[in-house]
Amino acid sequence: MKDKTLIFGNGPCAHYLAEDLLSTGADIVITTTDKTCNFSPSEHSGSIEILTDTRLVSCRGSVGNFRILAARNNKEIKRTVAGVIVAEEDQRKSNFSLYGLKASSCVITLSQAKELLLDSSHKQSIFLKAKKVVFLTGLVKESHPAITEEIMHSALRLQSDFNLQTYILTANLKVAADGLEALYRETKEAGAVYIKFTDTRPEIHSKSDDSVQIEFVDEITLKKFKLTPDISVVDETIVPSDYAADLSRILGVDADADGFVQADNVHRFTVFTNRKGIMTAGSSRSIQTCGDQITDAANAALVSAGRMAGLQIVPEDRAEIDKGQCIRCLTCYRLCPYRAIALNTRVVVEPHACERCGICAAQCPRGAIRIKHLEPESILNQIPKGYNPQKEVAFTPFIVAFCCSRSAVQARELARCMGHELPSGLKVIEVPCSGSISFDHIYGAFERNADGVMVLTCHEGNCHSEQGNIYAKQTVAQIMDMFLQIGFEKKRLAVQTLASNMATEFAEMVNRFEANIIELGPSRLKK
Amino acid sequence: MTATSETIDLDQVDHGRCRSWPFLQDYCVTCALCAGSCPASGIDGFDPRMLVRMVSLGLVEELVEARWPWICTLCGKCENVCPMEIDIADLVRKIRSLRDREKVPGILYKGLAAALETGNNLRLPKEDFIFIIEDVAEEVAEEPGFEEFKAPVDKKGANLLTTIHNKLVNTHTEDLKHWWKIFHAAQEDWTVTSENWEGTSWGYFTGDDAAMKVMAGRIVEQMEQLEIKNLLWPE
């Protein structure tokens, strides 16, 4: 089967991507809501189909076999593709209201200023008569390096070509992109004045004749200044397009807090989403600069090209649903962070999409889901039966710590390398995701003579399975509730979050926990 | 310097007035590493970052009249740490240079005037200087191992000329001995001059480049007359 990839988008990033994929010989489908698409590929070996004025309706299946349903003029379009890449453009929202200003002849947006500066004739430019131009950015909402770059370029032009005095009023100055520090220096050399606000904010007054007066205290010199700009330029917030927001909903792909098509989760960077085979690149995931967009497109194309290799073999160790046990409650469908549960005539797992996190198996109320080597009994077999260090002279608590492979296990390794002293009765059990820890795991550990059980997981927002750590916390909270009712010390159970580099914190956590358990004495459940 | 409640209208301020200065003050990113490293930070509210920023904004008169530029010791720690490589100490000198000479802090103003007139900050006559040098030399010669010690004055063709900080022939004569003992032990062929021996150059501290030139010129002149190759100028 030839690798066919569907690209959403019609901007530079989508076009770079299309070019890259075609050059590897892949077949592509470009879909856009635009009426036209001016992508003209250079010589290539792959085939290309362009669907304009088209919107996605649904996307079923999994990596290697996505079944796409789209609509164009109320007509259905169906395609089957191996991969999907979202490379939609973003939008700009002007920030007048954030600064209590209204658009007028002397209060304009950054995009307007850029456009005016593009006009090489200058003849009608409002900048010709002006003496002072103020840029307002990031004072109410965080700015973006791409916006900072545009402001700096504009200020540089105004200083050098129009001989204007420019002021850039900003909170944090976002210079964390390639070349921005150099550009900053250039603007300073040209005479732009930056006023940075940390603890205070400027007072911006809009007068009846639309003119603007700004009063502020410069936080470095502690002096009060009054500034009457001839033109005020307000910054813009970069937001995802409405269609991109639709796409993330229809595709079942996690979006970040601002709605961009990628969760703000380190495990997804650079171009991945929670759904295997669905990637996102460029503006869709809030990447702005031209260079970064090209890199993003290339990354997505690379991943896409390498994907086919892994698809020949159906993995055996993925989740499996026992059809006799399944009561179709759809808990797994609801909880799977990778959208690996498909609803066919019965509920099944898409093996290529499954990442073996274990959340479905832990949460299934019927215990109908099994993942090879991850069943409670295989995990608990790591705790030797009849193990009871209490028989030794002093009480050495036996502590079972279920540790997420991506964070706590790494932190423990590091703690050992750094020479931290760890409890001698600590047994670390590695699990792919703390979301795989069920009641059975925790009860099982107590049954096997644990004096205390810890669940150590990733920080919130850092979970590879997006919600696994939250499910783990819920599970632990429920068990603690039960402990309270039956009169068993709930202090014997703990759930805490860690990052992989937190060795010292790991040692502190387990040692503090051990101290608590020593205070409680041996568990009454011990045999 | 303290915050003023008076509002400054930026229509009245020319930010470009110091732009031609070669100290890169406009590159300041206001990171405050200078203020953090400055040993004089906080004395009378002294803050090198604020000083740099005021120059960059063009608010230079206020600085010229302020005590601040004279609190700075010109030690240069600030420029060592400055990520933008701003020449902060030279900037301070520049501000000092803009003050009316009569308003230069007393001791510096008088000392420099004395040095320009008489060759040293103390107006110490030549005979007194020679007397002090010989007196201290005799004291050194009384110490065991230094019996042969002599302090050569105006020795023609010596290898090394050393200047003298005026306090060493005033309140700190003991400190002369350390240098001299080292010279003696190293069998250095050294000398001091009976005139224009002043090692301090308060033209440097007052931002007076012309005065610095005069003081340095005199030393060079002495070296040429006495045919001395090397100079030790410990200031």
Side-chain angles (χ1 to χ4, degrees), chain A residues 34 43 65 77 129 146 168 170 173 204 213 243 295 306 322-323 333 338 367 380 396 430 438 463 526:
Chain A
D34 295 348
E43 250 179 66
N65 185 29
I77 301 175
K129 280 190 221 142
I168 296 160
T170 175
L173 192 64
I204 303 165
Q213 196 183 69
Y243 184 50
T295 309
D322 182 329
K323 63 180 170 185
Y333 179 78
Y338 306 105
L380 290 168
T396 309
E430 178 174 341
S438 64
C463 176
K526 272 191 154 169

Side-chain angles (χ1 to χ4, degrees), chain B residues 180-221:
Chain B
W180 290 357
K181 285 179 182 171
I182 293 168
F183 293 154
H184 186 75
Q187 298 179 327
E188 181 57 68
D189 179 14
W190 65 286
T191 190
V192 293
T193 56
S194 57
E195 283 178 289
N196 295 326
W197 43 263
E198 179 62 76
T200 67
S201 180
W202 286 2
Y204 177 73
F205 294 113
T206 57
D208 188 340
D209 289 354
M212 271 176 84
K213 204 172 164 188
V214 170
M215 299 295 288
R218 286 174 181 169
I219 294 170
V220 172
E221 216 170 278

Side-chain angles (χ1 to χ4, degrees), chain A residues 435-499:
Chain A
S436 70
I437 299 301
S438 64
F439 286 30
D440 287 350
H441 292 85
I442 293 173
Y443 290 144
F446 281 112
E447 264 171 27
R448 288 171 196 235
N449 290 339
D451 295 298
V453 176
M454 300 183 88
V455 177
L456 298 177
T457 178
C458 306
H459 290 315
E460 232 167 87
N462 250 1
C463 176
H464 186 277
S465 305
E466 214 61 47
Q467 308 266 334
N469 48 3
I470 294 167
Y471 300 145
K473 276 187 190 173
Q474 289 170 352
T475 302
V476 167
Q478 285 168 357
I479 294 176
M480 279 183 173
D481 230 31
M482 273 179 233
F483 280 179
L484 203 67
Q485 287 177 32
I486 62 171
F488 189 71
E489 304 99 331
K490 66 173 197 175
K491 265 186 151 177
R492 294 191 186 274
L493 185 57
V495 58
Q496 279 183 294
T497 66
L498 275 168

Side-chain angles (χ1 to χ4, degrees), chain A residues 167 188-189 196 218 224, chain B residues 8 15 26-27 29 53:
Chain A
Y167 293 90
K188 296 270 291 187
E189 242 167 80
K196 290 193 267 184
D218 175 60
K224 253 197 215 165
Chain B
I8 302 170
H15 302 306
D26 289 341
Y27 287 156
V29 292
R53 175 108 175 134

Side-chain angles (χ1 to χ4, degrees), chain B residues 49-118:
Chain B
R49 175 173 72 156
M50 198 194 282
L51 181 137
V52 170
R53 175 108 175 134
M54 284 177 69
V55 174
S56 184
L57 288 173
L59 303 170
V60 75
E61 276 94 358
E62 199 180 334
L63 281 176
V64 171
E65 297 312 317
R67 216 185 134 222
W68 270 22
W70 305 92
I71 291 171
C72 168
T73 66
L74 303 182
C75 74
K77 271 183 92 174
C78 50
E79 24 182 273
N80 245 332
V81 297
C82 177
M84 305 311 278
E85 301 177 340
I86 301 171
D87 298 331
I88 303 173
D90 283 336
L91 180 66
V92 170
R93 273 199 74 231
K94 174 74 181 179
I95 298 163
R96 290 184 183 184
S97 77
L98 296 177
R99 190 181 267 211
D100 281 348
R101 291 297 91 181
E102 287 74 28
K103 288 186 187 165
V104 167
I107 184 171
L108 288 173
Y109 179 66
K110 284 183 196 150
L112 180 59
L116 291 171
E117 263 176 58
T118 69

Side-chain angles (χ1 to χ4, degrees), chain A residues 77-89:
Chain A
I77 301 175
K78 285 181 178 171
R79 297 287 180 275
T80 300
V81 295
V84 173
I85 304 172
V86 183
E88 285 289 329
E89 292 300 281

